[in-house]
Amino acid sequence: MSTRKFICSVTLVAIAAIWAGCGGGSSGTTSSGGGTSDSGTGVASVDSLSALPTVDLSQYDSSTSTSANLSALLSKSLSASKGISKGFGEGLRDVGKSSRAGCEANMHKKEAIRMSQSVALDRCYPEAMETAGFITIPTGSRNCYSITPPEESAEERAQKCANIPADYEDQKAACEAGNEGASGGLKMRIGKIDGELQIDMFEGASLVDEATYGASGDTYTANVVRIGNWGGNLESSSFAMTIDLGAAGSVTDGIPTLGTDGFAEATGHFDGGFGSGIITFRRDGTDSSNTVSGAFDGSFIEPGSGKATSFTGKAYSQFGGSTATGCAKFSFTGSMPPMAVADMVPFDISADQLENFLQGFGAELGIDINSENYATIFLCPNPLFDPGNPDPLIKPMVQLSGDTCGTLTHTGIECFGIANGTLAGNYGDEIAQSFTIVANTDSPFYDAVNAFDLATLDTSFDTIAFSRNWDGSGSCSEIDFSAFTQAQMQTAQTALESCFALEEKARGNEGMGGYNCGEQEQENGINDLVENGGPSYGNYGGELTRLAGGTCPTTFPDKFFVNSLDTILGTYCIPTEGSCTSFTVAGTPPTVNLAAPIGLENGLLISGIVYNQPNAQQPATSVQLTFSAPQNCNSTYAITQPSFDAPSGEFGGEGGGNAPGEDGFVPAPCIEAGFTGADEEDACRQLCNQPGQDCSS
């Protein structure tokens, strides 16, 4: 599913504006943290902010370090299934396809990372101020600082908002309006109290952030509560993390190295305008693998379609470690976001093939889709269709009726190979990941994931609230950055670079947003359709267009569609409202004996089907349909079979075409990410499914 949201730290925006307005922001990267520090083996300390390990969970994600050898993983399974013919939508969860479970698990992982990066940023900028000597941290008391933000230039604002996808209109407008920061100024109090490092942030007239960091033996703890408005919504979150270094673990420049007996675990709770949920992320020192579990109740207007969606989603996954694979179990109950047909056209469909592709796609679903109307048609997953147990007489998608898709429940467990690509950023590379279904036996995590009970994941939690409840009172030292000289600001530049890099990562991470896992799964079937060059119609399937004459009134449909089920057995079906009613054609001339009338939408009943096939070796040219309801009549329909040529050449192969449909065409984002190999076509398609990726050239 997709929440299509973009939410970052309230305090992050305020402090980022401060630094950007004072000459910060030059390119470059440093290690995480504001200065060079080493905790020592198995020793935890909160003596300064720079002594703390990062809480940015992307630093604990073991799946980004290496990519799976998909060719080796897929070769055995794909060769075993080669030659097996399947109907449209019947192979959505086959080995080699985009993994729905991997997408759902990654979505939860990205949300956990998004929350952690917001927390990390809230700490990063004060850490940079400490490193530069602008603030000090007392023991047994707190120092208070009042911070005056400078004006933000239009150029700085435009750069800050550039990574927000265009279809996130409200979030992008709020960012470009420049009203996200600390209206009324920012106050911060900081001190080491009873062995804990405490930071409170006050923005305008409201407390927005309470952070508490502790250290004991070889273990660090972090507890952060954040409450504030973002994009017109009140967003509340709590984040609790434990980092047990283990006997041989250490922290250098903010980056922890876990001993084999160590671990890092974080749990985030969030409640806002898009929904609420709980996500837990863990990294084990034993084998360096990750475990992510989460439950999310969502309800919002999906920006891409402007339609409402509501659901409960759960996922449990294990991945990474010494293997570039993972396994995940998921459940989804509710209404998925509608899917725009315009967004579902594969990148390798050329302009001159578009019309026939759309007609063939529509014929499979029983929907009149063409180049003139496809931009306005939205589809929904068919609640009657089970991707894990497909029925050829149930269509995977139906046309959106009304404002929301129908309620459904999808569950599944899949193992997947993980492919990693890189996309360049201003301060560092972004990791683009894809998840391709592999055999369960090809991942060591299957047994543990399969045994996990998703029912144990609960979306309910206590109200998120502050504990210290600072009211912003007290004497505060003024920090007016606009009064500092360039030389003074340059002192902080090295420390700031890591904050700028982290902010870019946070802004580029949409968390639960940007992922419509159900749509991605449906596109597996569409890609099969493309590879096959369109539907297989047999001699009696295709698009039926009404001819002049006949006895039926003009209120009867002008178009029908007939799908082929089995050309050898002569079985066909007429799709309507998500199901497909079958009949058999036999003999020469062709004869159809209906055991009972075929019921269609709007009360239509077909009681007779007579094909006109002048040449027995060629498809029939027309068919007469006799109706028994809502009245007795007949009409003749011409039969056409829209088809198109499957994309020529192997993905990324010789030819290196520059446009869809050309031999070897690879879209520009996939070239940048490095998804160009013959076994990386699926990874490329997953990347192109993400917002902001233009794969048309």
Side-chain angles (χ1 to χ4, degrees):
M1 51 67 55
S2 164
T3 62
R4 301 274 188 177
K5 66 180 181 178
F6 192 92
I7 303 169
C8 284
S9 163
V10 178
T11 309
L12 172 167
V13 179
I15 300 180
I18 292 168
W19 285 110
C22 297
S26 64
S27 61
T29 60
T30 68
S31 60
S32 178
T36 301
S37 62
D38 192 325
S39 71
T41 302
V43 178
S45 170
V46 293
D47 288 342
S48 70
L49 284 164
S50 61
L52 301 175
T54 181
V55 293
D56 174 10
L57 294 179
S58 67
Q59 298 288 347
Y60 303 85
D61 181 1
S62 65
S63 69
T64 60
S65 59
T66 185
S67 291
N69 185 342
L70 291 175
S71 294
L73 288 171
L74 300 178
S75 60
K76 181 179 179 180
S77 297
L78 292 181
S79 62
S81 61
K82 189 175 182 180
I84 299 176
S85 177
K86 294 188 176 182
F88 181 59
E90 291 187 65
L92 299 185
R93 296 185 178 177
D94 283 354
V95 168
K97 301 294 178 61
S98 297
S99 172
R100 167 76 177 275
C103 179
E104 297 280 355
N106 183 58
M107 190 170 61
H108 283 78
K109 181 187 78 173
K110 295 281 279 187
E111 178 64 20
I113 290 174
R114 183 198 67 80
M115 294 179 65
S116 74
Q117 288 172 339
S118 293
V119 171
L121 273 164
D122 284 348
R123 196 185 84 195
C124 190
Y125 288 102
E127 181 179 338
M129 288 189 279
E130 181 196 23
T131 300
F134 298 154
I135 67 172
T136 59
I137 303 175
T139 297
S141 63
R142 301 180 180 92
N143 284 347
C144 180
Y145 298 93
S146 178
I147 304 170
T148 302
E151 290 296 324
E152 183 180 35
S153 71
E155 180 181 357
E156 290 161 347
R157 188 179 306 156
Q159 183 177 6
K160 181 180 71 176
C161 306
N163 285 343
I164 304 176
D167 59 349
Y168 300 176
E169 296 177 0
D170 292 343
Q171 293 89 335
K172 198 170 186 72
C175 181
E176 291 174 345
N179 58 3
E180 299 175 295
S183 176
L186 178 71
K187 291 182 179 180
M188 175 181 68
R189 69 173 189 174
I190 186 168
K192 189 175 178 182
I193 308 296
D194 297 329
E196 295 180 336
L197 182 58
Q198 299 180 357
I199 308 173
D200 297 336
M201 297 281 193
F202 206 88
E203 204 174 272
S206 302
L207 178 64
V208 296
D209 192 288
E210 279 187 357
T212 304
Y213 300 93
S216 177
D218 59 5
T219 301
Y220 290 91
T221 58
N223 289 278
V224 181
V225 174
R226 302 175 57 254
I227 301 174
N229 286 302
W230 183 265
N233 296 305
L234 179 64
E235 302 287 342
S236 304
S237 66
S238 65
F239 182 86
M241 186 169 184
T242 298
I243 303 169
D244 186 336
L245 297 175
S250 62
V251 180
T252 302
D253 291 343
I255 305 299
T257 299
L258 300 178
T260 56
D261 57 340
F263 70 89
E265 182 169 287
T267 297
H269 301 74
F270 52 98
D271 187 4
F274 294 90
S276 61
I278 308 171
I279 297 178
T280 297
F281 177 106
R282 181 180 175 92
R283 166 76 176 258
D284 280 307
T286 305
D287 60 0
S288 297
S289 67
N290 292 109
T291 301
V292 176
S293 61
F296 181 72
D297 282 333
S299 180
F300 52 91
I301 301 298
E302 197 272 327
S305 64
K307 306 294 184 181
T309 179
S310 60
F311 56 87
T312 296
K314 298 181 179 182
Y316 177 85
S317 61
Q318 292 186 16
F319 53 87
S322 60
T323 171
T325 68
C327 297
K329 178 185 285 190
F330 74 93
S331 69
F332 177 98
T333 298
S335 171
M336 286 189 185
M339 303 170 287
V341 170
D343 293 338
M344 303 182 79
V345 178
F347 62 70
D348 43 1
I349 291 294
S350 61
D352 59 352
Q353 297 281 6
L354 178 62
E355 179 69 28
N356 280 350
F357 162 75
L358 292 170
Q359 290 180 354
F361 179 36
E364 280 286 0
L365 299 176
I367 303 171
D368 183 15
I369 304 177
N370 54 62
S371 58
E372 294 183 357
N373 67 11
Y374 81 110
T376 62
I377 293 179
F378 290 87
L379 302 176
C380 294
N382 184 356
L384 301 176
F385 181 81
D386 181 0
N389 185 28
D391 182 338
L393 295 180
I394 302 296
K395 294 300 177 180
M397 289 174 280
V398 295
Q399 188 168 357
L400 173 67
S401 178
D403 291 329
T404 60
C405 291
T407 299
L408 53 76
T409 295
H410 282 173
T411 62
I413 179 171
E414 292 168 348
C415 293
F416 42 84
I418 303 171
N420 295 304
T422 55
L423 298 174
N426 292 321
Y427 297 100
D429 291 335
E430 174 190 349
I431 303 297
Q433 291 191 302
S434 71
F435 307 88
T436 301
I437 300 173
V438 300
N440 294 337
T441 54
D442 286 331
S443 177
F445 305 110
Y446 175 74
D447 289 340
V449 171
N450 186 48
F452 185 83
D453 183 4
L454 291 177
T456 61
L457 298 177
D458 191 0
T459 59
S460 63
F461 52 86
D462 294 336
T463 300
I464 297 171
F466 295 119
S467 59
R468 293 191 289 270
N469 290 301
W470 179 40
D471 61 5
S473 62
S475 176
C476 299
S477 300
E478 179 73 20
I479 299 180
D480 187 352
F481 289 92
S482 61
F484 287 134
T485 66
Q486 185 66 30
Q488 288 174 306
M489 291 304 301
Q490 196 63 39
T491 304
Q493 189 62 51
T494 301
L496 286 172
E497 292 296 346
S498 61
C499 299
F500 295 141
L502 181 57
E503 182 183 351
E504 183 175 57
K505 285 168 60 177
R507 285 195 172 276
N509 180 4
E510 296 147 24
M512 301 279 285
Y515 297 90
N516 190 332
C517 299
E519 178 176 330
Q520 180 175 295
E521 183 174 60
Q522 294 288 355
E523 289 182 359
N524 287 336
I526 297 174
N527 294 333
D528 284 344
L529 187 69
V530 171
E531 291 179 4
N532 294 331
S536 174
Y537 297 106
N539 279 338
Y540 307 106
E543 181 179 295
L544 280 55
T545 304
R546 188 175 176 180
L547 299 173
T551 62
C552 292
T554 57
T555 55
F556 274 54
D558 289 329
K559 281 194 176 182
F560 285 102
F561 301 91
V562 174
N563 296 168
S564 170
L565 295 175
D566 191 317
T567 57
I568 296 176
L569 297 177
T571 53
Y572 295 80
C573 68
I574 299 177
T576 177
E577 297 184 316
S579 62
C580 207
T581 305
S582 64
F583 61 91
T584 301
V585 183
T588 305
T591 301
V592 178
N593 293 315
L594 297 179
I598 296 176
L600 305 176
E601 56 205 54
N602 300 320
L604 289 171
L605 287 178
I606 296 177
S607 56
I609 301 175
V610 178
Y611 279 99
N612 177 31
Q613 187 180 22
N615 185 337
Q617 305 304 314
Q618 299 293 325
T621 57
S622 64
V623 61
Q624 184 184 78
L625 301 181
T626 299
F627 299 89
S628 58
Q631 68 183 70
N632 293 317
C633 64
N634 61 73
S635 288
T636 299
Y637 292 78
I639 302 175
T640 56
Q641 298 185 339
S643 63
F644 55 91
D645 295 328
S648 59
E650 186 178 73
F651 174 84
E654 294 184 4
N658 296 317
E662 293 184 2
D663 187 16
F665 170 68
V666 178
C670 301
I671 294 174
E672 180 186 351
F675 294 150
T676 59
D679 61 343
E680 294 175 315
E681 180 176 355
D682 180 69
C684 177
R685 294 189 187 279
Q686 291 182 48
L687 177 62
C688 289
N689 189 249
Q690 302 309 311
Q693 301 298 339
D694 182 3
C695 290
S696 62
S697 62

